[in-house]
Structure formats: structure tokens, C-alpha cells
Amino acid sequence: MCSLRVCKIHRSDQLVVFGIESVTMHSGMADTFCHFHGAVEAVAVVVCTPAGVHGLGVDGRSVDIEPLRDTVPGLNTLLDSCTHPDR
């Protein structure tokens, strides 16, 4: 199973930084033994400032925010709360 998740990394008066992570989990059973393997990998960083929302890949290059909004559960709500704090 592989899924994406968002976590808040930093918050100040001027910016909020979110990390986008890929979480992978595998488990199985062989005879009487069970095994589990999990991994968390950085995918992108989203920076929310008064000037707007910016996405950065792990290589530091700009990434389009819209695909992340569509695929990362909860990201839209977090971005709306930092760009429209009165909502």
C-alpha cells in the first residue's frame, strides 16, 4: 500500500511550510511468520506565504501545486486555512 500524506513542518507569522510524504507499507505471512516493512519518503515541500503558495520538489525545483491538491488528502484544507485565516 502506498499513500501520500501532509505534515506541518514550520509555522511563523510570515509563512507555513508543509512536507508531502509518500508512505509505503507491505506485510505478509509465510508459514508461522509475519513480516512488515514500511517506508516514508519525502516528495515535496509546500510553502504558504502572503505572496502565495509555492511547491518545491525534493531537488529544489518548482513543482505545480494543483496535482498535489488533487492527490494529497487534507492539503486543500490546510492551504485554505493559511491563505484565508479568517475562514
Side-chain angles (χ1 to χ4, degrees), residues 11 18 48 76-87:
R11 180 179 190 93
F18 299 103
C48 187
N76 275 331
T77 304
L78 291 171
L79 292 180
D80 287 346
S81 71
C82 75
T83 56
H84 303 97
D86 53 334
R87 287 187 184 174

Side-chain angles (χ1 to χ4, degrees), residues 11-79:
R11 180 179 190 93
S12 71
D13 292 339
Q14 294 299 313
L15 65 100
V16 182
V17 180
F18 299 103
I20 309 297
E21 302 170 328
S22 171
V23 179
T24 308
M25 292 181 278
H26 302 281
S27 63
M29 192 167 162
D31 296 326
T32 59
F33 297 100
C34 293
H35 66 275
F36 173 82
H37 170 74
V40 176
E41 182 178 359
V43 173
V45 173
V46 177
V47 180
C48 187
T49 70
V53 178
H54 311 281
L56 298 170
V58 292
D59 60 359
R61 294 184 183 170
S62 181
V63 296
D64 186 11
I65 270 306
E66 292 311 313
L68 293 174
R69 283 182 175 269
D70 294 338
T71 57
V72 179
L75 181 60
N76 275 331
T77 304
L78 291 171
L79 292 180

